[in-house]
Amino acid sequence: MFLGAHVSVSKGYEYALKQALDINGTTMQFFTRNPRGSKAKALNMEDIKKSSLLAKEKGFGPFVAHAPYTLNLATYKEDLWEFAKDILKDDLERMGTVGVPYLVVHPGSHLGKGEEYAQNRIINALNSVIKGDEKTMVLLETMAGMGSEVGYTFQQLKAIIDGVDYPEKIGVCFDSCHLFAAGYDIKDNLDEVLSEFDKIIGISKLKAFHVNDSIFPIGSRKDRHANIGEGKIGLEALKRILTHTKLRHLPFILETPGGIDTYRKEISLLKDLIKKEESR
Ligand code: FE
Ligand code: FE
Ligand code: ZN
């Protein structure tokens, strides 16, 4: 199992990796650029080389990149749609250069145009960006279904994957808080949720997992992350996720509130629980 947290690469990849190692992480996630989508910093190849060497030496798991959350591939506003496609294209290329296998993207929001409109808009955007020779895979994140967000059901994600020219370049990233808020009972019926996903999309499409507790109850459609064990999902259920035979090979990323010291505590909390479970 690889367990890590969302860190910043604003001081470089090697710096971020050292921070990830310092909190006993074995993987990490970072924004491809400022989360609001401003211009990306030029890549420093020396820094990238150092970080990949160090990652290899430490047996670190795959890096996971996250696109700016302001991108909306579903928007009907032409200028914002073009902007989102340009950023996604640039980020995919840049992450390919860095050697990051996965780029997590929020599918988008329909802004009143309806879910089908949004799905088609997202499909068209992905088809204009992805040409089939990318080294980095786009992971559609499961959403809470807040506002007009799409991608909060497996059927919606399936419709998008079915519509693209290169489905082999698309995967899925689960987020425990979002799944729960969207109504998937990962707390008491994890097996059922996984077999539903397997039936609709295929479990092999699942490539990364955001581990967050949820402030709001199941089906609330509200995306508010809680600290590990302090929300409505709870420690036991999160432990079951991390140790599940169908999931435990994945990179697990914490996106909980509190910053680096909280991440350190939560990683050690989860690791201790898993150790206890495995020695039973
Ligand atoms: Fe996200
Ligand atoms: Fe997430
Ligand atoms: Zn969230």
Side-chain angles (χ1 to χ4, degrees), residues 131-161:
K131 296 299 166 204
D133 59 354
E134 289 77 11
K135 292 188 197 119
T136 301
M137 195 171 182
V138 170
L139 304 187
L140 301 171
E141 181 169 355
T142 56
M143 303 310 290
M146 210 167 48
S148 68
E149 272 172 7
V150 296
Y152 64 91
T153 70
F154 298 157
Q155 285 81 2
Q156 290 167 356
L157 296 173
K158 166 74 171 163
I160 296 168
I161 295 171

Side-chain angles (χ1 to χ4, degrees), residues 37-218:
S38 59
K39 202 171 175 301
K41 260 203 256 168
L43 293 176
N44 173 345
M45 292 315 291
E46 196 53 41
D47 174 45
I48 291 166
K49 219 166 49 195
K50 277 190 201 157
S51 76
S52 9
L53 278 175
L54 183 58
K56 212 173 159 191
E57 182 194 313
K58 300 285 183 186
F60 211 70
F63 291 3
V64 180
H66 195 304
Y69 48 70
T70 45
L71 292 196
N72 185 1
L73 296 172
T75 183
Y76 62 86
K77 296 170 186 161
E78 273 324 305
D79 51 336
L80 291 181
W81 196 54
E82 292 302 325
F83 171 77
K85 290 190 290 180
D86 287 347
I87 298 242
L88 182 61
K89 181 141 195 89
D90 186 48
D91 280 355
L92 262 179
E93 273 170 25
R94 290 170 48 250
M95 292 307 107
T97 305
V98 180
V100 178
Y102 306 124
L103 172 59
V104 176
V105 177
H106 294 179
S109 295
H110 66 70
L111 309 173
K113 293 283 191 178
E115 289 172 359
E116 226 181 275
Y117 174 91
Q119 283 165 24
N120 288 322
R121 198 73 165 156
I122 295 163
I123 290 166
N124 289 337
L126 292 172
N127 282 340
S128 88
V129 168
I130 299 174
K131 296 299 166 204
D133 59 354
E134 289 77 11
K135 292 188 197 119
T136 301
M137 195 171 182
V138 170
L139 304 187
L140 301 171
E141 181 169 355
T142 56
M143 303 310 290
M146 210 167 48
S148 68
E149 272 172 7
V150 296
Y152 64 91
T153 70
F154 298 157
Q155 285 81 2
Q156 290 167 356
L157 296 173
K158 166 74 171 163
I160 296 168
I161 295 171
D162 277 352
V164 301
D165 297 333
Y166 299 99
E168 68 275 19
K169 296 290 173 191
I170 309 286
V172 173
C173 174
F174 273 1
D175 182 310
S176 50
C177 169
H178 300 175
L179 282 170
F180 191 69
Y184 289 104
D185 191 3
I186 51 163
K187 178 175 163 57
D188 294 317
N189 275 308
L190 178 61
D191 280 324
E192 209 172 282
V193 174
L194 293 179
S195 71
E196 187 180 342
F197 180 81
D198 192 34
K199 241 180 273 161
I200 295 172
I201 296 184
I203 198 83
S204 66
K205 278 287 188 198
L206 182 62
K207 303 295 185 188
F209 208 128
H210 293 164
V211 185
N212 305 303
D213 213 326
S214 174
I215 302 244
F216 291 105
I218 186 165

Side-chain angles (χ1 to χ4, degrees), residues 256-276:
T256 46
I260 210 78
D261 289 322
T262 312
Y263 284 150
R264 186 186 288 109
K265 279 186 208 138
E266 292 183 338
I267 287 174
S268 104
L269 174 68
L270 288 167
K271 278 192 170 167
D272 285 350
L273 269 181
I274 293 161
K275 231 187 262 162
K276 257 187 229 154

